[in-house]
Amino acid sequence: MIRYLKGTVLQKGEGGFLLLVGGVGFWVQAPETFLHTLKEGQEVAVHTHLQTREEGLFLYGFPDEESLLLFELLLSVSGVGPKVALSLLSALTPRLLAQALAQGDLRLLTAASGVGKRLAERIALELKGKVPPHLQTGEKVESQRAEEAILALTALGFKEGQARSVVLDLLAQRPQAQAQELIKEALKRLR
């Protein structure tokens, strides 16, 4: 099984990129957040998951082992395929996703495209207690300041799940940030 590749990004496309490794090109599907960081011609190391299906071989790539671990954990859930798992990793940082899974936070899980309330409930139920402790923060980071920032962002037209994901990530990085600071920084990330 292919678990790790290091090479040069030849081309970026919808949902993935072409990675040249020792004269061989691999098409690697990846979360949008990872794809946005890549530039053509850049050398990159990728943690990978190879999936074999009737249609062929599919390679999924991630910037770190934590993202790969969460991807494989999500694939173990009935009804969750690579598309939904990538969507979750595109909508939430690995730390926020691990926290949402550990706490059964349906609001965060439904922030991803293609994840409705029922699927989020199934994911939370099937993965309860399965998220490795080193990925969990162990404490809930939501607060009144976060809720104020999220409400302001949704009033400006952003989707609640997207706003919640960004605000909670910012708050985890800077726990003392006030609502106005969270809104200002979130707007920079969301635009």
Side-chain angles (χ1 to χ4, degrees), residues 63-173:
D64 50 55
E65 287 185 64
E66 291 79 16
S67 298
L68 173 61
L69 179 68
L70 288 168
F71 178 77
E72 293 176 337
L73 197 59
L74 288 164
L75 290 181
S76 72
V77 175
S78 168
V80 173
K83 186 176 180 179
V84 169
L86 284 177
S87 179
L88 281 161
L89 283 161
S90 293
L92 303 169
T93 64
R95 189 190 47 71
L96 273 178
L97 178 56
Q99 179 181 336
L101 294 172
Q103 297 175 353
D105 190 332
L106 301 182
R107 287 189 299 179
L108 274 177
L109 294 175
T110 56
S113 173
V115 180
K117 187 176 181 211
R118 278 200 175 155
L119 183 55
E121 288 170 346
R122 184 179 322 126
I123 291 169
L125 180 67
E126 289 190 31
L127 295 182
K128 185 176 179 125
K130 292 184 181 177
V131 178
H134 73 278
L135 293 178
Q136 300 176 36
T137 60
E139 58 187 68
K140 205 163 176 76
V141 295
E142 286 190 55
S143 70
Q144 185 62 35
R145 291 171 289 146
E147 290 302 322
E148 288 175 29
I150 292 164
L151 283 173
L153 291 167
T154 54
L156 291 172
F158 294 100
K159 292 181 180 177
E160 182 185 351
Q162 186 181 30
R164 183 171 301 283
S165 175
V166 170
V167 168
L168 292 180
D169 189 45
L170 287 169
L171 191 60
Q173 292 173 14

Side-chain angles (χ1 to χ4, degrees), residues 3-61:
R3 295 297 286 174
Y4 180 85
L5 292 171
K6 187 174 183 180
T8 304
V9 178
L10 282 184
Q11 174 185 350
K12 286 172 49 174
E14 178 106 9
F17 62 98
L18 184 60
L19 183 67
L20 180 65
V21 180
V24 179
F26 293 91
W27 181 256
V28 182
Q29 296 178 58
E32 290 297 321
T33 48
F34 181 39
L35 286 174
H36 290 309
T37 66
L38 300 176
K39 294 178 179 57
E40 292 181 4
Q42 170 187 3
E43 188 167 305
V44 66
V46 184
H47 297 269
T48 60
H49 174 86
L50 179 66
Q51 189 173 66
T52 306
R53 295 197 306 245
E54 286 181 21
E55 308 88 52
L57 301 174
F58 298 88
L59 193 61
Y60 301 92

